[in-house]
């Protein structure tokens, strides 16, 4: 009989299986190729809003403010400054006068107004951050360099989410609209931004490339990267070999740690380490029986081998995170213990479940071997307590589309909740509040007491009160096993040793390349 330890060792070695790959052509010295583990089916920053494909938002587009460095600092970007009214319902931003779009059109306040109205109208991507906070038509432009957001009510998170409003060239977009579609079809394959790089090629099967936008308002250093390419490379081993050979200059900073150790041995690769704020969990569909039963969810929470996964598969490179909020973030209870691997307790909880059991679907993410390995490990332990599962492996865009509808949402997804803005709501509120039910919800969890606290936390201007409320919400979610929370990630960014100037932030995941350079 295979022991648990032997099984875990065998499972951990799965990521080392070789893959067949044709060698890429050598790249020019000032071309940066990023091997992406998520394919690009769309380039629209108002519909595609995730960490895996963040390169579009951070390189082709600008926002009023931007998160820079680690810990993330909210930095003036398209806006030079802002003021807030006494009632906290009006935010006025003064735009810098020298920003232009890639076609040379000066960027103006009306472009910001168009962009927020488009986000609200499409109701995808970042829209959930502003629904109920900003009403369509309420944002105004008193003059070309002033934009005023008039909120429906005070918002504790509005300023934190301002960087997520990617500003579009409204004149160009209106030319491309078809039957009032806000040019959604066109922008999926093109761009209308003002970012540090401008699109030169897009092929969903291959990826996208962009050249340096020399007129960018922020300027560049003495030796900037002239061309960037985000290439679709799903297989982990292929990305590793490409980095070692010099075919790629950068890749995913959240690879399995055994692959990071492998890359450390290469004379061509450097590993940049940073603390991150990215929680790995099993997202559970709380709205579908039997996962709507708290006892069934607790049974599953007791059935995952947290220590075995972290120590054997992740090689101890990550930290146990017992709740939905990173333990490094305020609002995370310091005494939260979380669940432990205990099949006896799992069986006891399962006896309390009244609805009939069925085969569950675990939808792992292709190109993310940790997601696939977690699914295999979980499947094995669930079977020991009488819960059968089937595993599907799909690219992230496929999973993201399944999240759009409750009917297509999988039962279980081994997934990461990344940082989009620096506030506990990024993880706790969005993940488990009923107001966020839809793609940004991790769970379709419904709890009236949780929602009451969330609504208070979203309007309060008292930091101490907000911290207490998010601690209470975190305890509720953990106790109800609304998700199965596993670890908080550390970022190990693999780059060519010729690359310098990478400015990692938990928000950009090392994919903002305007400061980077490549030695000849």
């Amino acid at each position: 009989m295979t022991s648990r330890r032997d099984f875990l060792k065998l499972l951990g070695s799965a990521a080392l299986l070789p893959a067949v790959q044709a060698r890429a052509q050598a790249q020019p010295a000032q071309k940066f190729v990023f091997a992406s583990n998520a394919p690009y089916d769309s380039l629209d920053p108002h519909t595609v809003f995730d960490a895996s494909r963040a390169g579009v938002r951070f390189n082709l587009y600008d926002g009023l403010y931007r998160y820079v460095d680690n810990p993330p600092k909210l930095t003036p970007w398209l806006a030079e400054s802002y003021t807030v009214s006494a009632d906290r319902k009006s935010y006025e931003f003064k735009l810098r006068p020298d920003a232009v779009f890639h076609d040379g059109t000066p960027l103006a306040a009306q472009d910001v107004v168009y962009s927020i109205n488009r986000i609200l109208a499409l109701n995808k991507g970042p829209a959930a951050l502003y629904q109920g906070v900003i009403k369509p038509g309420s944002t105004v432009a008193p003059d070309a360099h002033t934009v005023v957001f008039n909120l429906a009510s005070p918002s504790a998170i509005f300023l934190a989410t301002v960087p997520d409003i990617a500003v579009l060239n409204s004149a160009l977009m209106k030319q491309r609209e078809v039957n009032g579609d806000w040019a959604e079809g066109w922008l999926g394959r093109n761009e209308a931004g003002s970012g540090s790089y401008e699109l030169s090629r897009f092929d969903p099967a291959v990826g996208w490339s962009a050249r340096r936008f020399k007129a960018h308002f922020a300027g560049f250093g003495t030796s900037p990267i002239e061309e960037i390419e985000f290439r679709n490379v799903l297989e982990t081993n292929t990305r590793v070999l490409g980095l070692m050979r010099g075919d790629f200059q950068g890749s995913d900073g959240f690879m399995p740690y055994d692959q990071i150790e492998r890359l450390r041995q290469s004379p061509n690769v450097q590993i940049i380490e940073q603390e991150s704020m990215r929680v790995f969990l099993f997202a559970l569909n709380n709205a579908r029986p039997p996962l709507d039963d708290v006892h069934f969810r607790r049974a599953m929470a007791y059935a995952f081998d947290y220590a075995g996964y972290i120590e054997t598969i992740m090689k101890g490179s990550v930290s146990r995170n017992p709740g939905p909020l990173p333990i490094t973030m305020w609002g995370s209870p310091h005494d939260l213990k979380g669940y432990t691997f205990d099949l006896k307790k799992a069986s006891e909880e399962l006896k309390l479940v009244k609805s009939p059991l069925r085969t569950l679907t675990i939808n792992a993410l292709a190109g993310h071997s940790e997601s696939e390995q977690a699914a295999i490990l979980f499947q094995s332990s669930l079977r020991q307590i009488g819960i059968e599962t089937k595993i599907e492996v799909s690219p992230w865009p496929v999973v993201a589309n399944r999240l759009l509808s409750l009917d297509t949402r999988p039962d279980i997804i081994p997934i990461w909740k990344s940082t989009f803005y620096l506030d506990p709501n990024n993880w706790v509120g969005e993940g488990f509040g009923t107001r966020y039910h839809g793609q940004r919800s991790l769970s379709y969890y419904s709890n009236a007491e949780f929602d009451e606290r969330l609504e208070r936390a979203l309007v309060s201007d008292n930091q101490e009160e907000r911290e207490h409320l998010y601690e209470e919400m975190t305890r509720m979610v953990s106790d109800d096993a609304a998700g199965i929370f596993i670890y908080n990630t550390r970022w190990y960014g693999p780059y060519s040793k010729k690359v310098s100037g990478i400015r990692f932030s938990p928000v950009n995941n090392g994919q903002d390349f305007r400061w980077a350079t490549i030695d000849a």
Side-chain angles (χ1 to χ4, degrees):
M1 178 179 291
T2 302
S3 69
R4 181 177 71 89
R5 180 174 294 275
D6 290 340
F7 172 75
L8 289 170
K9 287 181 178 179
L10 183 63
L11 186 60
S13 67
L16 297 178
L17 294 175
V20 178
Q21 183 213 10
R23 183 164 183 167
Q25 297 295 320
Q27 304 300 332
Q30 288 305 310
K31 181 175 181 178
F32 185 106
V33 179
F34 185 88
S36 176
N37 58 354
Y40 287 86
D41 56 334
S42 172
L43 299 179
D44 190 336
H46 292 171
T47 61
V48 174
F49 189 68
D50 53 50
S52 296
R53 296 173 288 179
V56 168
R57 298 197 309 278
F58 287 102
N59 294 286
L60 304 184
Y61 291 92
D62 292 317
L64 297 176
Y65 274 64
R66 176 165 291 202
Y67 284 106
V68 179
D69 295 333
N70 192 21
K73 302 177 186 67
L74 195 59
T75 304
W77 207 245
L78 290 176
E80 294 181 320
S81 63
Y82 73 92
T83 56
V84 186
S85 63
D87 64 1
R88 301 171 50 234
K89 293 173 62 176
S90 180
Y91 285 73
E92 180 178 289
F93 292 84
K94 291 294 185 181
L95 305 186
R96 58 186 307 132
D98 54 349
V100 297
F101 289 107
H102 295 152
D103 65 358
T105 302
L107 188 147
Q110 194 57 47
D111 297 304
V112 182
V113 173
Y114 174 89
S115 298
I116 188 61
N117 285 336
R118 183 178 188 268
I119 289 172
L120 295 171
L122 294 179
N123 196 26
K124 298 177 181 179
L129 304 181
Y130 311 107
Q131 295 288 2
V133 177
I134 303 175
K135 294 187 180 300
S138 64
T139 305
V140 297
D143 59 58
H145 296 108
T146 305
V147 61
V148 180
F149 293 87
N150 294 301
L151 310 188
S153 61
S155 171
I157 68 168
F158 174 68
L159 185 61
T161 65
V162 161
D164 294 320
I165 303 172
V167 179
L168 309 183
N169 183 335
S170 59
L172 176 59
M173 291 293 292
K174 290 174 182 177
Q175 293 173 11
R176 302 295 182 174
E177 288 182 1
V178 177
N179 298 325
D181 71 343
W182 293 88
E184 183 178 1
W186 180 81
L187 198 62
R189 302 185 66 88
N190 299 277
E191 58 102 345
S194 63
S196 305
Y197 291 87
E198 54 183 320
L199 185 69
S200 56
R201 180 185 61 84
F202 172 56
D203 181 344
V206 178
W208 59 275
S209 298
R211 58 185 175 272
R212 182 167 67 93
F213 181 50
K214 297 179 181 180
H216 194 268
F217 64 82
F220 293 87
T222 56
S223 183
I225 294 172
E226 295 296 332
E227 183 179 0
I228 58 174
E229 177 185 349
F230 281 74
R231 189 179 299 172
N232 302 340
V233 186
L234 291 186
E235 212 280 322
T236 302
N237 190 59
T238 304
R239 296 197 302 276
V240 169
L241 291 175
L243 284 162
M244 296 171 71
R245 288 196 301 249
D247 299 333
F248 311 136
Q249 284 68 53
S251 189
D252 170 33
F254 299 108
M255 286 186 186
Y257 193 67
D258 55 1
Q259 300 303 300
I260 296 299
E261 291 180 316
R262 185 179 168 199
L263 286 168
R264 288 190 197 277
Q265 307 306 311
S266 171
N268 298 323
V269 180
Q270 61 174 316
I271 304 297
I272 303 173
E273 297 185 27
Q274 291 277 346
E275 290 293 336
S276 187
M277 305 174 78
R278 189 174 188 249
V279 176
F280 182 61
L281 71 152
F282 286 105
L284 308 179
N285 187 346
N286 284 231
R288 182 178 297 162
L291 288 87
D292 59 347
D293 188 318
V294 66
H295 296 293
F296 185 82
R297 298 195 303 269
R298 286 173 180 164
M300 290 196 297
Y302 280 122
F304 187 72
D305 188 353
Y306 303 92
Y309 183 82
I310 290 172
E311 294 169 8
T312 305
I313 295 176
M314 300 304 296
K315 308 293 184 182
S317 62
V318 297
S319 302
R320 176 81 174 99
N321 206 99
L325 191 57
I327 55 178
T328 54
M329 186 70 191
W330 61 268
S332 179
H334 297 300
D335 60 345
L336 186 67
K337 300 300 182 183
Y339 290 83
T340 57
F341 181 47
D342 190 325
L343 294 181
K344 181 179 179 181
K345 288 184 179 179
S347 297
E348 291 172 353
E349 288 287 348
L350 198 58
K351 291 177 182 177
L352 302 175
V353 177
K354 296 180 180 179
S355 57
L357 303 186
R358 60 178 175 82
T359 299
L360 305 178
T361 299
I362 305 177
N363 201 160
L365 306 183
H368 300 265
S369 56
E370 308 100 305
S371 177
E372 297 179 42
Q373 290 169 308
I376 295 170
L377 179 60
F378 200 26
Q379 182 183 56
S380 175
S381 58
L382 286 175
R383 182 173 293 126
Q384 295 180 58
I385 62 170
I387 299 175
E388 293 298 322
T389 62
K390 62 179 181 179
I391 297 175
E392 295 182 9
V393 180
S394 310
W396 167 243
V398 173
V399 177
N401 285 332
R402 289 174 177 171
L403 293 177
L404 293 173
S405 170
L406 189 56
D407 294 333
T408 58
R409 179 175 286 246
D411 295 311
I412 306 168
I413 310 173
I415 196 173
W416 292 263
K417 177 56 179 175
S418 299
T419 312
F420 294 93
Y421 55 96
L422 206 63
D423 189 275
N425 196 70
N426 178 87
W427 297 269
V428 182
E430 285 190 27
F432 305 96
T434 57
R435 65 155 42 220
Y436 293 106
H437 279 184
Q439 185 173 12
R440 299 205 66 74
S441 173
L442 294 175
S443 61
Y444 273 85
Y445 172 72
S446 295
N447 181 328
E449 293 184 7
F450 178 99
D451 287 339
E452 185 273 331
R453 287 165 174 77
L454 175 60
E455 295 308 310
R456 286 162 53 195
L458 287 173
V459 299
S460 174
D461 62 350
N462 185 307
Q463 172 74 10
E464 185 176 341
E465 178 189 23
R466 296 192 74 230
E467 182 169 4
H468 178 68
L469 288 169
Y470 279 107
E471 286 181 356
E472 289 187 331
M473 287 185 275
T474 297
R475 293 183 194 280
M476 289 179 182
V477 168
S478 178
D479 184 58
D480 286 347
I484 300 175
F485 310 105
I486 303 172
Y487 68 76
N488 185 28
T489 310
R490 185 170 175 82
W491 184 77
Y492 299 89
Y495 294 94
S496 164
K497 283 191 174 178
K498 295 182 178 180
V499 173
S500 59
I502 296 295
R503 294 179 68 172
F504 169 82
S505 163
V507 179
N508 69 33
N509 290 298
Q511 295 186 41
D512 188 350
F513 295 126
R514 67 157 290 102
W515 296 284
T517 63
I518 303 177
D519 297 334

